[in-house]
Amino acid sequence: MKKIAIFFSAATIISFAACKKNDTPVVNADPRAFGVSVNGSIVTVKNLPADTIVGIGAMGPYGVGKYTFFSLGANGLVASTDSASSNWDMAFAGTTVRVNCGTSGPGNGGAFVFNGTFEGLASVPSDSTFKTDNAPAAYAIPKGSGKGWYTYDGPNNLVTATPGKVLVIRTANGKYAKVEILNYYRGGVTPSTTATDSIKSFDSRYYTFRYTYQGNGTTTF
Amino acid sequence: MIKAIPLFFFGLFPFISSFGQKDSVSKDKMMEEVIVTSNRTPTKLGNIAVPVQTISQKTIKQIGSQRLKDILQEQAGLYITNGFGAGVQMQGLNPDYTLILINGEPLVGRTAGVLDINRISIGNIKKIEIVKGPSSSLYGSEAMAGVINIITDNASHKEVEAGIRYGFGNPDKGWSWPAGINAFKNTDLHFKVQNKIGKTGVIISSDAFYIDGLSYRPYSTLRVPQPIWRLTQQLTLNHEINAKANVSLVARCGYDHIKQEFAVTNNGGVSNSYGREANTDINIIPSFNYSFNKNTNTSFKLYHTFYNGSQKLYFSDKPDSIYDDEFKQKLYRLENQTDKVWKNMKLTAGIGITLDQANSTRYDNVSRTKKNTITYGFAQHEWRISKNFLAIGGIRYDHNQLFAAAFSPKIALRYDLSQKLSWIGSIGRGFKAPDFRQLYLNFTNNAAGGYSVLGSIDAVSVITQMQHNGLIADIKDDFYKLSTLTPEFSTGINTGIKYKIDKNWNMEINVFRNDIEGLIDVRQVATKTNGAQIFSYINIRKAFTQGAECNINGAISQNLKISAGYQFLSTADKDELALVKSGKVYTRNSDGTSRLLTLKEYAGLPNRSKHMANLKFTYENQNGFYTTARCIYRSRWYVADSDGNGLYNTNDESAEGFLLFNFSVGKEFKKHWTLYGGMDNISNHQDANYLPNLQGRMIYTGINYKF
């Protein structure tokens, strides 16, 4: 089995295009750094920053309000200048996940949340309905605790990716992928309930997820 | 090693029982013990058909503590919870469901359902009785898991008693003398005067306790325990009017002052704040008792209790108050109880009325004072059908002004198979009425993200109003389930054996199951536009707790006694259990990937340990010397749903099990003096996150004078 690993340090996220030209895989053991690794048909993305916290104000922690765009077909980030194109499939900011369709982008995307395991989803069920983004009223991947992919524990101020939720994505180009969000915190580990609010805020909005992309246009994974 | 402990206790049973049989010379002159709590009337141990534990004054003294918490945590099947003070978890039920009485009357002033037993000093306690299983048929609301009755002394002779106790610890530095911020000391001063002049007896007792603060919780300047002053005064008067009538008055006043100094995090920003919490707690019980004849007795009680708790916090950098919280509760009760005894029967019946009133800054602004009137009647009939067979049936009806009435029947049976072996069994219904907080709370926690909790009565109108004002982002499904709260009901079954192995050894085994319906749960009902959650209360959950308890007491020799207890507990939320069984709940592997949760992984209700055990050795001799060695074990418990699947399972955040060792020693000398000392938590076990109130190793010494 051929393994390709491309790693990026957090500092080089912005200069994504430049990194891609580097053919030699960079071995980066930092568990808190952004990285994409491919293992057979499963691609794992670690520490994808999603409008990370830059400060704490009167209304609480805030980011700069920008989405991070990702291409499931190309296994990598897409520059935000390409947001009006079909180059990206999913976009992340805070707990909001958009797909390239409807009010979010020009693509032919769509999505729904499947209850079950990632491995257990062998193909897109034939009776599936893909939803499209219709911000701010509705999103293909519903916003809110317990509605989409996550559970928010208010008193402990923690966001947990709900187990048993698979995001079934139709990409911008009409291909299919299944995505499982694994964690919302930097390093892929949810802070303990007794961690400080500062850790809970500044380590949040870093997605770890895995996916399988079916590039041949069929619905089988 | 921790896992092996329960097995160790079990393995000990045959050993100690056979050991005990070798030695049966010691004299057993004890009169048969009388229990007042289980039947609400003095009843000999041989006529008790429910599981009962008693703690004598001597046992309390030998433990060398002045706090009730220290005594109760060494009893099998009781666990002292952390959070909103120290609460008592019995038979796996939350502290909300255990009724705590002083001389048969309830203590009030619960915070989030927890009655903080740290408030109670044990200076004048004659005895503590613990009755397990629902006792609502006699006591009404809250007596769902059981009842703890603290019985104070009556004056019988002239006596003066005074004592001082000093303790210190230094969890960081182990053995060295306390120094620096992490050393802490506690001091207790107490005295008691009693006299009997003619037909009037009087006792005045007083206790003052001070403990330094201690900070060892990571990331927090909050000192746990916080520096606390606790004062308790008690007056007991009893007067015999004539051979048939007597009056008594018990008045108790407790006062706590807790100094607070900590960092408040507000949306991730940190401000240092300081302030204080003060609680006053007054109980007054005048009663009149009249015996028509040897077999008929009636008593009137007028109970008044008052609780006032307040908390004020200020920002260090701003003079204006940021947090000003006050809670007051008053309860008046008038009650008559009559007992009548026939040859093989006994009837106990009573009626009463309770006026309960609470006032809180956390209730809505329209009217901060909330009232409820409860009228009730109860009857219990005890019938010795044959020499070996005893049946007790009881029933109670509580009529509530604010919500549905509660009807609580109970039947208990006892069959003496032989002089040594008895079987007991009981089935009863328990209930807990919704408290004022669950009905009227209107609280927004600005110090922690701005979430709100609303009582069920106003939740719908408040949220609807907010929606009109555009403050609500989203309404949850549970919002449509909001309705008037009803009491929570349980059905409890207890059955077991009492086995008198020989003169010196006793064993009791009890198996229990409590099925609870309409459990009130805090659910998110809406989200504000700023993302903060709104919670309210719904009668929604069904749960059970079940388990077995075993207690063994015995004497290895005339001077050396041993007692051991063990409880196995299993709990579940019935809806969660059904979801897990139907394969609809997922969890995560250690690599973060999802998979189905297995039934074995389901952990039931949070904050419960599957295994709890205690072991105690007491040595005492004729010269007034005594020493005790005690150990307490509690297995792992789950604290947070960290995998986000909505229930507690073995992959969630848990607190590790622990083993505590305590030791005490004392000696009477020159007739009037007792010098004692000891060490609590010898192994210096600490768990800053999950056992914030457990101090590290503590060494103490004290002296008592009695004349």
Side-chain angles (χ1 to χ4, degrees):
Chain A
M1 196 194 298
K2 199 185 170 192
K3 267 193 180 179
I4 311 158
I6 313 164
F7 287 98
F8 303 91
S9 79
T12 55
I13 292 162
I14 300 143
S15 52
F16 170 73
C19 283
K20 210 181 172 186
K21 287 171 191 161
N22 191 346
D23 290 333
T24 332
V26 180
V27 180
N28 190 338
D30 184 359
R32 289 168 66 84
F34 174 76
V36 179
S37 59
V38 182
N39 186 351
S41 63
I42 298 175
V43 183
T44 304
V45 179
K46 287 183 174 160
N47 303 309
L48 178 134
D51 192 24
T52 55
I53 303 301
V54 294
I56 292 166
M59 291 296 288
Y62 57 88
V64 292
K66 291 215 166 169
Y67 278 81
T68 302
F69 297 89
F70 192 85
S71 167
L72 298 169
N75 295 351
L77 298 176
V78 175
S80 60
T81 46
D82 276 357
S83 64
S85 75
S86 288
N87 291 347
W88 62 275
D89 302 312
M90 296 175 84
F92 303 82
T95 54
T96 307
V97 179
R98 291 177 183 249
V99 280
N100 198 339
C101 60
T103 51
S104 296
N108 183 31
F112 68 92
V113 179
F114 172 82
N115 288 326
T117 60
F118 185 80
E119 283 78 10
L121 184 71
S123 63
V124 180
S126 52
D127 57 349
S128 303
T129 312
F130 281 85
K131 291 173 185 158
T132 50
D133 284 356
N134 182 22
Y139 290 82
I141 299 162
K143 280 176 75 158
S145 170
K147 294 189 168 174
W149 65 271
Y150 73 93
T151 310
Y152 176 59
D153 173 357
N156 285 316
N157 188 20
L158 286 172
V159 171
T160 311
T162 314
K165 299 280 182 192
V166 183
L167 312 181
V168 184
I169 307 283
R170 189 173 64 216
T171 67
N173 300 320
K175 306 284 198 295
Y176 294 95
K178 56 175 180 177
V179 178
E180 184 185 15
I181 297 174
L182 306 175
N183 201 283
Y184 186 64
Y185 292 89
R186 201 168 189 181
V189 180
T190 308
S192 81
T193 51
T194 49
T196 60
D197 272 9
S198 166
I199 288 177
K200 288 175 181 177
S201 296
F202 286 99
D203 275 2
S204 73
R205 304 191 177 185
Y206 287 88
Y207 281 77
T208 294
F209 62 94
R210 61 171 177 161
Y211 64 91
T212 292
Y213 172 74
Q214 180 49 274
N216 66 10
T218 66
T219 56
T220 315
F221 297 116
Chain B
M1 181 243 170
I2 296 282
K3 274 190 179 161
I5 298 300
L7 296 173
F8 165 72
F9 275 99
F10 260 140
L12 208 62
F13 292 156
F15 164 70
I16 48 178
S17 46
S18 62
F19 196 164
Q21 273 152 12
K22 283 178 203 160
D23 180 86
S24 54
V25 261
S26 81
K27 291 164 211 158
D28 187 10
K29 285 186 192 165
M30 290 269 287
M31 274 199 346
E32 194 176 359
E33 198 176 350
V34 169
I35 307 288
V36 299
T37 314
S38 61
N39 291 8
R40 237 188 130 128
T41 174
T43 307
K44 283 182 180 167
L45 213 49
N47 285 339
I48 303 285
V50 293
V52 171
Q53 279 175 296
T54 61
I55 309 165
S56 70
Q57 193 172 40
K58 191 163 115 183
T59 307
I60 294 170
K61 288 220 161 120
Q62 286 176 345
I63 284 173
S65 168
Q66 295 297 324
R67 313 308 306 172
L68 181 65
K69 185 193 110 186
D70 297 337
I71 307 295
L72 293 185
Q73 72 169 3
E74 300 193 356
Q75 301 306 309
L78 296 189
Y79 184 71
I80 309 304
T81 58
N82 287 286
F84 306 106
V88 183
Q89 188 189 93
M90 196 191 279
Q91 291 198 342
L93 273 80
N94 276 344
D96 315 37
Y97 308 104
T98 295
L99 183 65
I100 298 181
L101 307 171
I102 285 198
N103 293 317
E105 296 300 330
L107 283 171
V108 301
R110 288 176 182 255
T111 308
V114 177
L115 193 107
D116 184 5
I117 57 166
N118 278 321
R119 274 162 46 190
I120 303 159
S121 75
I122 50 186
N124 190 31
I125 295 180
K126 184 170 87 179
K127 190 179 163 191
I128 299 166
E129 294 183 356
I130 301 160
V131 178
K132 293 184 178 170
S135 300
S136 290
S137 64
L138 288 172
Y139 294 100
S141 181
E142 291 175 12
M144 210 147 125
V147 177
I148 297 174
N149 192 5
I150 298 146
I151 299 158
T152 62
D153 236 343
N154 258 346
S156 54
H157 57 283
K158 190 175 176 177
E159 190 179 274
V160 175
E161 191 187 332
I164 181 166
R165 179 190 187 274
Y166 176 78
F168 69 88
N170 194 351
D172 284 350
K173 292 179 181 161
W175 297 96
S176 65
W177 186 258
I181 186 165
N182 263 359
F184 68 106
K185 304 168 274 291
N186 62 66
T187 312
D188 184 280
L189 277 164
H190 54 98
F191 79 87
K192 181 169 132 184
V193 184
Q194 62 167 307
N195 198 1
K196 188 148 189 183
I197 310 152
K199 291 184 171 177
T200 307
V202 58
I203 302 185
I204 295 166
S205 68
S206 182
D207 184 283
F209 175 78
Y210 176 75
I211 184 161
D212 271 0
L214 167 72
S215 166
Y216 63 127
R217 188 179 173 137
Y219 329 120
S220 172
T221 56
L222 173 62
R223 294 204 273 175
V224 180
Q226 295 152 317
I228 298 174
W229 267 107
R230 296 187 195 277
L231 304 169
T232 313
Q233 314 282 335
Q234 186 168 313
L235 169 74
T236 311
L237 279 169
N238 56 297
H239 176 70
E240 217 178 294
I241 300 167
N242 56 41
K244 288 186 168 180
N246 64 68
V247 286
S248 75
L249 175 77
V250 179
R252 181 184 160 276
C253 173
Y255 174 76
D256 297 340
H257 181 103
I258 305 166
K259 193 178 157 193
Q260 296 181 325
E261 215 172 321
F262 51 83
V264 175
T265 35
N266 195 350
N267 287 327
V270 179
S271 339
N272 286 312
S273 69
Y274 63 95
R276 61 115 186 95
E277 186 186 326
N279 306 305
T280 312
D281 166 26
I282 293 169
N283 309 273
I284 301 164
I285 321 171
S287 63
F288 171 74
N289 197 61
Y290 185 78
S291 302
F292 294 95
N293 54 49
K294 212 177 83 193
N295 297 324
T296 312
N297 189 70
T298 192
S299 68
F300 290 88
K301 272 184 180 178
L302 178 66
Y303 177 55
H304 171 205
T305 179
F306 174 78
Y307 175 81
N308 185 353
S310 72
Q311 192 179 19
K312 265 199 167 75
L313 286 177
Y314 303 88
F315 275 128
S316 301
D317 48 0
K318 281 183 221 160
D320 51 326
S321 170
I322 53 154
Y323 191 89
D324 189 352
D325 197 24
E326 197 171 27
F327 175 73
K328 289 178 189 168
Q329 191 177 357
K330 278 180 195 169
L331 186 144
Y332 299 92
R333 172 176 292 173
L334 176 65
E335 184 177 86
N336 169 247
Q337 179 179 331
T338 303
D339 302 333
K340 183 153 176 64
V341 181
W342 292 273
K343 198 182 158 200
N344 57 350
M345 284 188 246
K346 184 175 187 179
L347 178 72
T348 300
I351 50 165
I353 181 163
T354 303
L355 306 171
D356 195 356
Q357 181 182 315
N359 177 302
S360 170
T361 46
R362 292 189 175 187
Y363 298 161
D364 67 74
N365 290 325
V366 184
S367 159
R368 281 185 169 158
T369 301
K370 307 295 177 188
K371 288 176 184 166
N372 188 18
T373 307
I374 305 138
T375 39
Y376 60 90
F378 60 88
Q380 177 171 278
H381 193 68
E382 191 183 314
W383 182 24
R384 188 156 277 286
I385 298 166
S386 73
K387 203 181 146 211
N388 298 334
F389 190 38
L390 176 78
I392 301 166
I395 202 158
R396 175 166 163 141
Y397 181 79
D398 285 75
H399 176 80
N400 269 291
Q401 185 195 348
L402 287 181
F403 33 79
F407 189 62
S408 324
K410 184 173 181 178
I411 291 174
L413 301 172
R414 176 183 175 121
Y415 189 77
D416 298 321
L417 291 130
S418 71
Q419 286 206 318
K420 288 185 165 183
L421 185 65
S422 305
W423 169 84
I424 59 168
S426 59
I427 178 163
R429 209 153 150 76
F431 79 96
K432 185 190 168 286
D435 55 32
F436 288 120
R437 159 189 65 115
Q438 292 163 333
L439 297 169
Y440 297 112
L441 193 70
N442 187 341
F443 171 64
T444 298
N445 193 343
N446 290 319
Y451 70 87
S452 297
V453 189
L454 298 173
S456 76
I457 284 184
D458 297 329
V460 173
S461 62
V462 171
I463 292 167
T464 312
Q465 184 61 43
M466 286 174 79
Q467 207 174 10
H468 284 307
N469 296 338
L471 297 169
I472 298 292
D474 139 52
I475 294 277
K476 299 275 170 188
D477 295 343
D478 280 333
F479 175 80
Y480 302 102
K481 294 179 191 157
L482 284 170
S483 65
T484 313
L485 288 178
T486 62
E488 301 165 276
F489 286 102
S490 76
T491 306
I493 301 172
N494 282 267
T495 180
I497 54 159
K498 296 183 177 201
Y499 180 43
K500 203 166 165 50
I501 301 162
D502 63 23
K503 262 185 179 172
N504 297 320
W505 291 85
N506 286 299
M507 179 165 93
E508 287 189 17
I509 295 172
N510 184 48
V511 180
F512 60 88
R513 167 141 175 145
N514 295 295
D515 279 277
I516 310 145
E517 313 138 45
L519 210 59
I520 296 173
D521 196 22
V522 182
R523 291 283 174 104
Q524 189 191 348
V525 290
T527 315
K528 295 184 210 173
T529 41
N530 65 5
Q533 295 169 309
I534 302 178
F535 298 92
S536 188
Y537 299 92
I538 308 178
N539 282 100
I540 200 166
R541 297 175 70 190
K542 295 190 291 285
F544 69 78
T545 73
Q546 61 185 19
E549 189 185 329
C550 177
N551 282 292
I552 292 185
N553 294 295
I556 292 172
S557 72
Q558 201 176 334
N559 297 332
L560 184 59
K561 291 191 175 113
I562 180 174
S563 70
Y566 167 75
Q567 179 184 273
F568 171 81
L569 179 68
S570 147
T571 62
D573 176 298
K574 290 185 187 176
D575 294 333
E576 290 175 2
L577 191 63
L579 277 176
V580 176
K581 280 185 176 165
S582 63
K584 285 178 182 155
V585 184
Y586 298 87
T587 184
R588 292 190 184 277
N589 293 308
S590 52
D591 65 358
T593 57
S594 293
R595 63 170 167 82
L596 266 181
L597 184 80
T598 63
L599 188 59
K600 217 183 147 192
E601 289 173 301
Y602 177 56
L605 305 175
N607 295 317
R608 273 132 183 108
S609 294
K610 213 171 199 173
H611 307 285
M612 281 173 66
N614 62 288
L615 176 65
K616 178 180 172 187
F617 294 92
T618 308
Y619 176 86
E620 55 186 329
N621 66 22
Q622 312 296 329
N623 306 324
F625 173 83
Y626 66 83
T627 181
T628 69
R630 291 111 61 202
C631 98
I632 305 162
Y633 169 72
R634 192 186 176 192
S635 68
R636 177 181 298 277
W637 67 97
Y638 293 90
V639 293
D641 171 26
S642 42
D643 62 6
N645 61 5
L647 49 79
Y648 296 87
N649 61 75
T650 52
N651 306 308
D652 283 334
E653 190 173 328
S654 66
E656 247 182 271
F658 64 86
L659 190 56
L660 296 181
F661 298 95
N662 298 332
F663 165 80
S664 71
V665 60
K667 170 92 173 78
E668 274 175 38
F669 62 98
K670 287 185 175 168
K671 211 171 149 194
H672 303 300
W673 297 86
T674 305
L675 183 65
Y676 64 94
M679 194 186 293
D680 287 341
N681 193 0
I682 296 170
S683 58
N684 202 15
H685 177 80
Q686 291 169 42
D687 186 338
N689 289 330
Y690 307 119
L691 290 171
N693 290 317
L694 177 70
Q695 298 128 19
R697 184 187 295 122
M698 288 281 298
I699 301 165
Y700 62 87
T701 181
I703 190 158
N704 251 14
Y705 174 76
K706 206 179 205 178
F707 186 75

